[in-house]
Amino acid sequence: MDDLEQAILLASDSPAAAAASPAVRAEALAYCARARDETPPSSLLHLCLYGLASSPHAHVHFWCLQTIHDALLLRRRLALPDDLALLRSSLLSLAVSSNAASPPFLRNKLAQLLALLVRFEYPHVYPSYFLDLIPPSPPLPGPTDMFARVLVSLDDDLLSQDYPRNAEEASDAGRVKDAMRAQCVPQIARHWHEAAVSLRAADPAVAAVALDAARRCISWIDVSLVANDVFVPLLFDIALSPGSVAPLAAAAVGCLSAVAAKRMDARAKVALLRSLMSAQKGFGSPDSGLKMAHLVTAYAVEALECYRKLGSSDADGAAALEMLEEVLPAVFAAAESGDDDEVDSGSVLEFLSGYVSTMKAPTEKQLGHLGQILEVVRMQMSYDPVYRVHLDVLDKIGKEEEDLMAEQRKDLIALFRSICRVAPGATQLFIRGLLVTALSSAEVSVEDVEVALTLFYRLGEIVGEEEIRTGAGLIRELVPMLLSARFSCHTHRLVALVYLDTISRYIKFMQENDQYVPHLLTVFLDERGIHHQNAHVSCHAGYLLMRAIRLLKAKLVPYLDTILQSLQDALVQFTATDWANKDIKFSSSEDGSQIFEAVGLLIGIEEVSPDKQVQCLTALLNPLCQQIESLVMDAKAQGLEESSPRAIGLQQIIVALTMISKGFNERLVMGSRPTLGVMFKKTLDVVLQVLISFPNVKPLRSKIISFLHRMVEILGISVLPCIPIALRQLLVDNEAKDMSEFLYLINQIICKFKSSANALLEDVFPAIASHLSVILSHDAFSNGFASNTEEMRELQELEKRFYAFLLHIATHDLSTVLLTPSCRHYLENIMQLLLITSCSHKEISHRKTCVQTFVNLIKDWCSSSEIEDKLPGFRVFMIEKFATGCCLQSVLDKSFNFRDGISIALFGEIMMAQKVMYERFGENFVVNFVTKLREAHCPPDLAEQYYQKLQGSCIIYVHKALPFLRSEDVYCGNIFTEPGYRGKVP
């Protein structure tokens, strides 16, 4: 044992181990492991018991107890009865003589081992465990502490239903509880009372442990053993006495809470709750809520549940509601205390939500309670002032606190919504009080203003649009009050953002009440909005102003000059900002460019006179174009790096031009006011010079593509002469992402101009096909990129857009481009790619797109007479390759899922392809396809039926053949539909 003892000390965190080298400690650990794993069970038990009796070291005692525990748990069926008897007597002796001053980790381990023995042996092997362990009267600290720890370990490891248990554990737990209830629970309850009485002053820590053990057992013992005229007053006295230390008071509250939460019949529960209420005068007072938060919350929850079960018409149900309302002041005090250690805010919120849900038409008393609940919501939604500076600058700490509060507020907002629905008038009065208080005090805090505005914002989510528009209730008073509000803490980011959001939430009120439009504009344009000192607030205000202009439109025409004058410095600042500065970070949706969109929308309102539009647009576009020309000239002389301030400046100016154009449409620019079109055409020429000069600066090129999208939309057919120049530059040095952006632009041009884009497409198609043949080669998809990497996602997006590109060509009367001499070289590869994809691509949507492309090509290139076909050999290719591979074999493959909606849509397109092939290819197609059906072992009668229905210009769903053709059992019936049907298979 001496060697083992030395090894244990070296392997543990004892002082001896601190001086040992890592090698020595590793050797000691190995020695202990061998002793534990290789010693026979009986010998190991005797060795450990000897160590417990002879060694003076706590670490050795712990190792021995742990080793016995593990051996008993893993090899209990191998233990001899005599060994277990020896172990039992030794452990009981240790427990009874336990000293409260011994290390807690040792007492816990001894308790855990005794609890395991109880599970295995009580009561059938040894029925006297608890009778032996219950300390004699008067209880001493050491044995009392040990007994409590045994009960706690037994609860944790076996009896508690708070943890998942397997069937064996549940059976053992039931056996132990039944035996304890029959034998010793009354004695144990008396011991708890004696321990609380005698040790509350002498050793409050041990008294607290004893009461904690009692709390754990109350759920399954006879509650009257604790809920009586002797024990309950004692618990209240301990909980409320100023002399009780915090752990002891908390343990007493825990016992009372367990009593209140005891499961029983609703009527019995009402009687129990009534006894608790009568046992303590002032139980429902705010002071009780502060000192016994867990109890008053549990009490309220149980009273509410009784009321729900029994109803208000029942005498006991009415009594439950009366007791509930009597304890509410204590609940509110607990909730408002903000003490997270004492109050379970989740339980409080759950109760309050349940209480509000019981209200239909609140009484005056209940309206008062709802006001107090709103105050609880307000307090719990408020930020901690400690984080005020962090939330203003939004550093890492501030961002974490903001995210945490957003999560915390979810349940609070749900409760607020419930109150709004039950008592909208009371809710509006509450918010009015908050706003009046915030506006009338120069000392009001950031947190109070932010939460008041947040609640007003959330109110706007709940009331209907009609109520906002007409100013129902107090909205007609509150919105004007808010428009004129200037809070003393308006410079803080949180207050400024929620203020602007709240104004925007109620903007429909201004839409119906024109007199408030000037006030609205003032909010957006002064230091509360776009001119706020915080750049994030300023950008957000620009975004909200843009949304306001979209909604109000003509109502803002009288204020055009005022708005433009107020925005002048902000417009200049956007293009002058050093965007290369890494400290400047904005979201992509609110980067400050929205003020240009706002101005564009404002100028583009049709109610603005043509002369005024030209004047304003000239003042807007000319300086930006001059900036571009100046930057391009400098860049040509000094070079242009991708991340240089000059390149980023060009990007921002082009973004500004793009956003301005969003306020205009083709009908206005090219129809009623063509002068505007000329101006945008000149701007396009300036921007194209950037692309021609610097085609390799990819971020800049991406911004130019976005600008081109807008020019295609507003300039219409007049833009086509400019496009070839741009497209040639956009094809320089392309990767997958670049080509994807390029195809997106080409697809827009095709859909917009259709056959008018024929010459343009014929010019660029060879270059497109050449680039894509390299980028989308087979090697690109098999070179080791994981499917979730950015590179693979870019390739997949490019592939998707390429198939859409081919479909657009086939759909918009442009398929003849593929037959021109310059494009014919790529045709065979394209046909093979479409065929392979339509048959076997893992993305069903790609297969569907390719089938649709083939259908349109058949219509364009083939007629009923083969000699009139535009592409010789295409007819044979479709009959022999496509019809067999896609229309038959791909459908018969096990991967084709007839229970999947997308696959059914693909199947509909395949059926449509067969119909079109029959119309254009006639008997040649039918004979070949029916032959392939028979080769696939399709029943002859079904193949003949297919032939007949096809001749009748019907699409046939041949699902009935599938069980014969596929090994999986799929039977969906034989369904005939009208031509062109694409519905779901029943």
Side-chain angles (χ1 to χ4, degrees), residues 335-386:
E336 293 172 5
S337 67
D339 189 345
D340 293 334
D341 295 331
E342 294 294 331
V343 181
D344 182 355
S345 58
S347 297
V348 172
L349 281 180
E350 186 176 355
F351 159 71
L352 293 176
S353 298
Y355 176 56
V356 172
S357 69
T358 64
M359 299 182 188
K360 304 302 179 187
T363 63
E364 285 298 318
K365 185 176 182 180
Q366 288 177 326
L367 287 174
H369 292 155
L370 289 175
Q372 289 180 283
I373 296 173
L374 285 169
E375 179 61 22
V376 170
V377 170
R378 185 197 72 81
M379 291 188 65
Q380 294 198 10
M381 284 182 66
S382 298
Y383 281 99
D384 189 329
V386 170

Side-chain angles (χ1 to χ4, degrees), residues 456 474-484 506 509-510:
F456 190 26
L474 291 177
I475 292 177
R476 180 168 293 279
E477 176 188 352
L478 294 176
V479 173
M481 183 191 302
L482 191 65
L483 286 170
S484 60
Y506 292 91
F509 175 80
M510 278 70 85

Side-chain angles (χ1 to χ4, degrees), residues 649-720:
L650 282 170
Q651 290 178 48
Q652 293 308 115
I653 295 170
I654 294 169
V655 166
L657 292 170
T658 303
M659 301 302 276
I660 291 169
S661 70
K662 290 185 177 182
F664 300 85
N665 56 62
E666 184 178 355
R667 181 176 55 81
L668 180 71
V669 169
M670 301 307 298
S672 59
R673 300 180 186 179
T675 305
L676 302 179
V678 173
M679 298 172 69
F680 276 113
K681 182 68 166 49
K682 290 180 179 178
T683 304
L684 173 60
D685 292 337
V686 172
V687 172
L688 287 179
Q689 289 305 309
V690 180
L691 182 61
I692 293 169
S693 301
F694 310 105
N696 295 317
V697 182
K698 293 188 177 181
L700 183 57
R701 184 164 67 181
S702 180
K703 298 294 187 295
I704 293 173
I705 289 176
S706 297
F707 180 72
L708 289 173
H709 280 296
R710 289 299 310 149
M711 294 300 100
V712 168
E713 285 299 314
I714 68 172
L715 295 179
I717 199 74
S718 68
V719 82
L720 275 180

Side-chain angles (χ1 to χ4, degrees), residues 397-707:
I397 296 174
K399 185 69 172 69
E400 289 175 354
E401 179 62 16
E402 197 169 58
D403 293 342
L404 188 65
M405 180 58 78
E407 187 63 30
Q408 179 180 322
R409 282 180 171 181
K410 288 179 180 178
D411 292 336
L412 292 163
I413 291 169
L415 175 56
F416 178 74
R417 288 174 182 271
S418 299
I419 299 173
C420 286
R421 284 190 284 267
V422 172
T427 305
Q428 292 181 24
L429 277 172
F430 179 78
I431 292 174
R432 180 184 181 278
L434 295 180
L435 291 177
V436 169
T437 302
L439 288 169
S440 60
S441 173
E443 304 299 323
V444 66
S445 70
V446 168
E447 295 73 28
D448 287 344
V449 175
E450 190 275 339
V451 77
L453 292 172
T454 298
L455 289 174
F456 190 26
Y457 174 87
R458 295 297 177 180
L459 176 67
E461 290 181 329
I462 299 162
V463 299
E465 286 191 6
E466 187 61 28
E467 285 84 349
I468 292 178
R469 186 178 285 108
T470 59
L474 291 177
I475 292 177
R476 180 168 293 279
E477 176 188 352
L478 294 176
V479 173
M481 183 191 302
L482 191 65
L483 286 170
S484 60
R486 292 179 182 270
F487 300 103
S488 58
C489 53
H490 220 126
T491 56
H492 195 281
R493 185 188 66 88
L494 275 183
V495 171
L497 287 175
V498 72
Y499 175 77
L500 291 170
D501 285 334
T502 307
I503 291 290
S504 297
R505 172 62 65 186
Y506 292 91
I507 201 167
K508 289 188 182 296
F509 175 80
M510 278 70 85
Q511 191 178 18
E512 291 295 316
N513 297 272
D514 296 0
Q515 68 271 28
Y516 294 110
V517 170
H519 301 282
L520 173 69
L521 292 175
T522 301
V523 167
F524 282 126
L525 298 175
D526 66 14
E527 69 280 356
R528 292 172 291 176
I530 287 173
H531 290 92
H532 194 279
Q533 64 185 31
N534 186 294
H536 292 276
V537 175
S538 177
C539 290
H540 189 57
Y543 167 72
L544 295 177
L545 174 62
M546 177 268 293
R547 289 178 51 186
I549 292 173
R550 282 188 183 277
L551 182 66
L552 299 175
K553 293 181 180 176
K555 296 182 184 294
L556 299 179
V557 172
Y559 310 101
L560 176 61
D561 289 333
T562 301
I563 295 171
L564 293 179
Q565 185 176 358
S566 298
L567 291 176
Q568 185 63 39
D569 58 339
L571 296 171
V572 172
Q573 182 180 0
F574 177 80
T575 56
T577 299
D578 180 12
W579 294 94
N581 185 348
K582 295 181 180 179
D583 293 334
I584 301 178
K585 296 179 181 178
F586 298 102
S587 67
S588 58
S589 61
E590 296 180 14
D591 58 2
S593 64
Q594 286 75 26
I595 57 171
F596 287 93
E597 183 175 356
V599 170
L601 288 166
L602 193 61
I603 297 172
I605 296 172
E606 293 192 23
E607 285 77 6
V608 177
S609 68
D611 291 341
K612 189 67 175 178
Q613 280 183 326
V614 171
Q615 176 191 344
C616 294
L617 193 58
T618 300
L620 200 58
L621 295 181
N622 284 356
L624 295 174
C625 290
Q626 290 167 7
Q627 281 183 270
I628 290 177
E629 290 169 344
S630 174
L631 288 169
V632 169
M633 187 177 301
D634 292 344
K636 284 181 177 179
Q638 302 175 26
L640 191 67
E641 294 294 330
E642 195 171 281
S643 58
S644 66
R646 194 175 288 111
I648 296 174
L650 282 170
Q651 290 178 48
Q652 293 308 115
I653 295 170
I654 294 169
V655 166
L657 292 170
T658 303
M659 301 302 276
I660 291 169
S661 70
K662 290 185 177 182
F664 300 85
N665 56 62
E666 184 178 355
R667 181 176 55 81
L668 180 71
V669 169
M670 301 307 298
S672 59
R673 300 180 186 179
T675 305
L676 302 179
V678 173
M679 298 172 69
F680 276 113
K681 182 68 166 49
K682 290 180 179 178
T683 304
L684 173 60
D685 292 337
V686 172
V687 172
L688 287 179
Q689 289 305 309
V690 180
L691 182 61
I692 293 169
S693 301
F694 310 105
N696 295 317
V697 182
K698 293 188 177 181
L700 183 57
R701 184 164 67 181
S702 180
K703 298 294 187 295
I704 293 173
I705 289 176
S706 297
F707 180 72

Side-chain angles (χ1 to χ4, degrees), residues 177-204:
K177 287 179 182 178
D178 289 342
M180 290 181 68
R181 280 190 284 251
Q183 182 197 49
C184 57
V185 167
Q187 297 94 309
I188 294 174
R190 280 196 297 272
H191 162 71
W192 290 330
H193 181 270
E194 291 175 357
V197 170
S198 61
L199 297 177
R200 61 182 293 188
D203 199 331

